[in-house]
Amino acid sequence: MSSKDKILEFLEENKESYTSGEAMAAALGLSRNAVWKAINDLRKLGYQIDAISNKGYRLSKDTDIISKQGILSYLNKDKADMLSDNILIYDTVESTNKLAKEKAISGSPNGSLIIAKQQSLGKGRRDHLFYSPEGGIYMSIILSPDFLPTLDKDVITAYTGVSVCKAIEELCDIVPGIKPINDLFVNGRKICGILTESGIEYETGLVQWIVVGIGINFDTDVNSFPTDLQEIIGTLFAPGHGSISKNQLIANIYGRLLNWDGLDENRIKDEFQRRIILQNR
């Protein structure tokens, strides 16, 4: 891990307090000069780092940049250590689902997470485009059948939709409804689309992998969408006014979709049905 990544990880884990450069250097086994250089490098990347004489540095609460270190800071340490190598973040990709499927075919493990800050060819159902401008969360998770209690597509669809709803409710105090198959709406506007795809062995019909793609309009500028979509697209927050960070929401959803322990299939289907709304598009 580079000095810059070590400093970012430290700042993410200690958001609530200032830490002197000397204390940071001692904790991370770095020189004071390496700490100073890493802080400057992070600022050049857009991270807002507050500094107060005799107190030290702290990552500003106004900083909302998706990062592996930021996501891991919201997971328990054992899980973070186990999943660290499985998280890949890109500025722009054609489609996180496309990339996740390629990696699943190549043998990437259960829990691999692909995130992009933008998609140039985001994919919805039936090959519809999924517009993916800055300000959104675009993530795809690889799930292995060996780690799932069921391969019933209705259960998996229900569990993913309900999991994303619960994460948004818990962190944002916003209650989405679900329009089948798995689009989330708030106040009559679409704020999230979920697309689940799988790879199946032709001869046996066995499922090899599942990829769950989730696109959330977090604090996206609605005006960045095509004109014909602006009347139906919503966002969780106004641009730059999120009450939580993107990293926090990603981590919450990620944790839920890796935890299928004790799944009650009938209960999750019932909960999915209770959240269904009728919405003209």
Side-chain angles (χ1 to χ4, degrees), residues 96-243:
T96 59
N97 257 32
K98 178 175 181 287
L99 185 53
K101 288 187 291 182
E102 291 170 357
K103 291 188 176 296
I105 291 169
S106 298
S108 289
N110 180 71
S112 294
L113 175 63
I114 311 297
I115 303 169
K117 298 171 186 177
Q118 292 185 86
Q119 297 181 113
S120 59
L121 290 173
K123 180 186 174 186
R125 282 182 297 279
R126 299 175 183 172
D127 289 328
H128 290 171
L129 282 177
F130 187 90
Y131 289 94
S132 315
E134 287 187 14
I137 292 172
Y138 311 110
M139 56 188 286
S140 295
I141 303 170
I142 298 173
L143 300 175
S144 168
D146 294 340
F147 290 84
L148 299 176
T150 179
L151 292 178
D152 183 327
K153 66 179 185 301
D154 292 334
V155 175
I156 291 173
T157 294
Y159 186 78
T160 56
V162 169
S163 293
V164 177
C165 283
K166 285 184 172 180
I168 291 171
E169 289 174 20
E170 178 182 313
L171 298 177
C172 309
D173 198 26
I174 294 170
V175 182
I178 299 173
K179 179 174 185 267
I181 297 174
N182 227 356
D183 291 336
L184 274 53
F185 280 72
V186 173
N187 297 326
R189 290 176 174 264
K190 181 176 174 178
I191 56 96
C192 173
I194 302 172
L195 176 65
T196 303
E197 301 181 276
S198 65
I200 298 176
E201 188 176 76
Y202 182 76
E203 291 88 349
T204 63
L206 293 175
V207 176
Q208 303 296 300
W209 47 261
I210 294 170
V211 165
V212 178
I214 302 165
I216 301 172
N217 301 327
F218 185 85
D219 61 351
T220 322
D221 183 352
V222 172
N223 293 321
S224 62
F225 287 90
T227 305
D228 61 330
L229 295 180
Q230 291 177 15
E231 292 301 314
I232 64 170
I233 290 295
T235 64
L236 292 178
F237 304 105
H241 287 81
S243 62

Side-chain angles (χ1 to χ4, degrees), residues 26 32 39 47 99 107 112 137 203 219 250 254 261 268 275:
R32 288 287 303 277
I39 294 287
Y47 289 91
L99 185 53
S112 294
I137 292 172
E203 291 88 349
D219 61 351
I250 290 169
Y254 187 36
D261 295 341
I268 205 69
R275 293 173 182 271

